[in-house]
Amino acid sequence: MKFQGWRHMSKQSKKGLVPELRFSEFEEKGEWVKRKLIDVTDKHVKWSFIGGPFGSNLKSSDYVPDGVRVIQLQNIGDAEFMDDYKIFTSEEKANELLSNNIYPGDIILSKMGDPVGRACLIPDNHPRYVMCSDGIRLVVDQEKFSKYFVYMLINSAWFRASVEKAATGSTRKRIGLDDLKKLPLIVPKLLKEQQKIADCLSSLDELIAALTQKYQTLQLYKKGLLQNLFPAEDKNLPALRFPEFLDSGTWIKTVLGEIATFSKGKGISKSDVEIDGKLPCIRYGELYTVYGETIDEVVSFTNIPVETLVLSKSNDVIIPASGETQEDIATASCVKKEGVALGSDLNIIRSNINGVFLSYYLNSSKKHEIAQMAQGISVIHLYPAQLKTLVIYLPPKSCEQQKIVDCLSFVDNLITAQTQKIEVLKIHKKGLMQ
């Protein structure tokens, strides 16, 4: 993406408070100026810069099934409102805490967390909200400052560094309202220049949002395919079948132990993973944080002597042998490459069927069943002896397996391409902000 009308400033002009990249119509408009965060607040709005209530003023006993939405710390994302976690309080309590109310379009900052001082915009899902104790409301004076420019500046690396420096605490950083309002901002004198920058960055945000929406739609589409291309529990036929296989008969019942052998990997600790490692390796936690159903390229490497390790064969399916949650432990991936070192907390399923088909299958209709097999309280374990008994159904023809794999892999490739587009735009935006 290219934006017309800006120029790199000369070395001489960069001596003052001037950005390296500037729109051409503002080149002769002088240096930017220093302001404090409190200076951008709208003095005509009551409580335009205020923190959330004391914890004792909004307790869990004040929560109700429906009412005025309470914004929790986990809702304040890094330049993104996180809408998953929802709790409410009564209208009466919200009125009692009127000074701690916040409204659509306002900026909310976090007093603590990772990172401290992060900010997002309040969405228009509700007419008003109540902040949690660790939230800070900021209403920008839009006659003098561009709200979106200020919002982006707060989330910039430069301002974030000043927040970190002013924050207190070792394990979890926290910053108070008084310290935050004194932190410096450097802004263009002209509102028009602020707005031009804001328009540039917001156009990128809109594009990122559109691509993210498409990514989420593809994820939902894949989820639907996984649910319908494999038989549901105790069924011998999937809900959807490709036309050429409609007359091929029911899927054949078997157990995993009849089509596969089982083993475990050997120890690869976190400290064994090295940037300059020569041998590709997979640790169990990467299955549900990095990889999908297919592992083509490996992200970690080690220098542990190969003779002490267990190496993959192409078509191996791996699944965690232990984990913290049942959802994590029921995550399967097919390793497409030979010679990848597999960690000790991995079960290795070496089958005589299409491994990618098997990994998709296990991650769809068998995920809940596998999770129920696992044992443990604080740490959950899954053993080969349990996996061997897992009942599965297979298409009568191997070409039907491949057809299903091709369909799902195509969707996965679309999802990967979409992810890459989003990441490229985020990097581009970060570069512009710098």
Side-chain angles (χ1 to χ4, degrees):
M1 173 177 289
K2 294 182 179 179
F3 294 96
Q4 302 298 324
W6 58 24
R7 296 180 187 173
H8 283 276
M9 303 302 290
S10 68
K11 289 184 179 179
Q12 282 137 346
S13 66
K14 287 195 290 182
K15 288 181 179 179
L17 295 178
V18 177
E20 180 178 346
L21 203 61
R22 200 170 190 183
F23 290 100
S24 56
E25 62 265 42
F26 302 108
E27 285 180 6
E28 307 301 327
K29 299 301 181 181
E31 295 183 12
W32 290 19
V33 292
K34 284 187 177 181
R35 295 286 183 265
K36 294 176 182 177
L37 184 59
I38 192 66
D39 295 333
V40 306
T41 58
D42 191 339
K43 308 303 187 294
H44 300 98
V45 175
K46 198 173 184 180
W47 306 308
S48 60
F49 191 73
I50 193 168
F54 289 112
S56 58
N57 290 340
L58 183 63
K59 304 184 291 291
S60 58
S61 57
D62 296 314
Y63 299 156
V64 296
D66 194 21
V68 178
R69 175 91 177 265
V70 178
I71 296 182
Q72 296 290 89
L73 189 62
Q74 50 265 59
N75 295 131
I76 308 173
D78 195 354
E80 178 184 8
F81 185 82
M82 312 301 290
D83 202 30
D84 294 338
Y85 191 75
K86 297 179 182 180
I87 57 173
F88 300 86
T89 194
S90 66
E91 291 277 349
E92 293 77 15
K93 190 65 181 180
N95 291 337
E96 180 186 323
L97 299 172
L98 196 60
S99 64
N100 308 118
N101 281 200
I102 190 166
Y103 302 89
D106 289 349
I107 298 171
I108 186 168
L109 297 88
S110 67
K111 290 182 186 176
M112 66 178 297
D114 185 19
V116 63
R118 65 191 182 276
C120 67
L121 293 169
I122 300 298
D124 59 358
N125 301 338
H126 304 274
R128 65 166 170 160
Y129 304 74
V130 175
M131 290 188 293
C132 64
S133 59
D134 290 314
I136 298 172
R137 181 194 185 199
L138 171 61
V139 182
V140 175
D141 183 351
Q142 296 190 66
E143 290 186 3
K144 298 177 182 177
F145 302 94
S146 162
K147 178 178 72 174
Y148 197 82
F149 175 86
V150 171
Y151 164 66
M152 297 305 297
L153 201 54
I154 290 170
N155 283 319
S156 68
W158 180 85
F159 187 79
R160 187 69 52 77
S162 64
V163 175
E164 287 281 343
K165 188 175 179 180
T168 58
S170 53
T171 56
R172 203 170 190 196
K173 295 281 190 177
R174 174 185 285 275
I175 189 165
L177 201 65
D178 287 338
D179 290 326
L180 191 61
K181 69 183 180 183
K182 292 184 289 189
L183 293 181
L185 296 173
I186 301 176
V187 299
K189 292 178 184 177
L190 296 178
L191 179 59
K192 284 185 178 180
E193 185 172 6
Q194 295 178 31
Q195 192 58 54
K196 182 96 178 203
I197 295 169
D199 291 344
C200 167
L201 294 173
S202 64
S203 68
L204 278 172
D205 274 345
E206 289 169 5
L207 185 53
I208 290 170
L211 291 174
T212 301
Q213 180 62 50
K214 185 175 179 181
Y215 165 82
Q216 292 168 345
T217 301
L218 285 168
Q219 289 277 37
L220 288 173
Y221 180 58
K222 178 189 172 182
K223 184 178 179 180
L225 288 175
L226 284 170
Q227 291 172 343
N228 288 286
L229 288 175
F230 297 96
E233 197 168 338
D234 298 326
K235 301 289 183 181
N236 62 6
L237 277 176
L240 290 177
R241 206 168 186 187
F242 293 100
E244 60 265 43
F245 301 110
L246 290 175
D247 297 325
S248 297
T250 59
W251 286 26
I252 300 166
K253 183 178 180 180
T254 186
V255 292
L256 206 51
E258 292 182 1
I259 63 164
T261 59
F262 299 81
S263 60
K264 283 188 67 178
K266 285 191 177 179
I268 304 172
S269 68
K270 186 176 181 180
S271 60
D272 292 324
V273 176
E274 301 180 39
I275 296 175
D276 61 349
K278 301 296 187 292
L279 182 67
C281 64
I282 298 172
R283 299 180 65 247
Y284 84 99
E286 295 171 337
L287 292 193
Y288 44 84
T289 58
V290 178
Y291 301 118
E293 284 84 359
T294 305
I295 301 177
D296 292 296
E297 297 299 328
V298 180
V299 300
S300 298
F301 297 84
T302 185
N303 283 321
I304 296 177
V306 67
E307 59 270 15
T308 66
L309 296 169
V310 172
L311 303 183
S312 70
K313 289 190 176 180
S314 178
N315 205 55
D316 280 352
V317 173
I318 51 177
I319 190 168
S322 64
E324 295 181 0
T325 71
Q326 289 182 320
E327 183 74 13
D328 293 340
I329 208 167
T331 302
S333 296
C334 176
V335 186
K336 299 291 291 292
K337 298 176 70 172
E338 290 196 8
V340 178
L342 303 177
S344 59
D345 282 329
L346 291 176
N347 287 309
I348 305 166
I349 307 171
R350 195 159 284 169
S351 73
N352 58 14
I353 66 170
N354 188 311
V356 180
F357 171 87
L358 181 59
S359 67
Y360 278 123
Y361 191 2
L362 297 181
N363 282 329
S364 59
S365 54
K366 293 298 172 181
K367 201 171 185 72
H368 176 73
E369 199 172 337
I370 294 171
Q372 294 302 307
M373 287 180 169
Q375 301 172 349
I377 302 174
S378 57
V379 178
I380 301 167
H381 297 279
L382 181 65
Y383 300 101
Q386 297 166 313
L387 286 170
K388 287 179 182 179
T389 65
L390 184 69
V391 175
I392 61 173
Y393 291 85
L394 299 175
K397 298 178 180 178
S398 60
C399 55
E400 188 171 0
Q401 292 181 29
Q402 188 59 52
K403 185 80 172 182
I404 292 169
V405 167
D406 291 343
C407 171
L408 291 169
S409 296
F410 178 76
V411 177
D412 269 340
N413 289 337
L414 291 177
I415 291 172
T416 299
Q418 202 69 12
T419 304
Q420 291 170 346
K421 289 178 184 177
I422 293 169
E423 189 58 31
V424 166
L425 282 173
K426 285 181 175 180
I427 293 170
H428 181 53
K429 177 185 169 185
K430 184 178 179 180
L432 291 178
M433 290 178 67
Q434 290 173 342

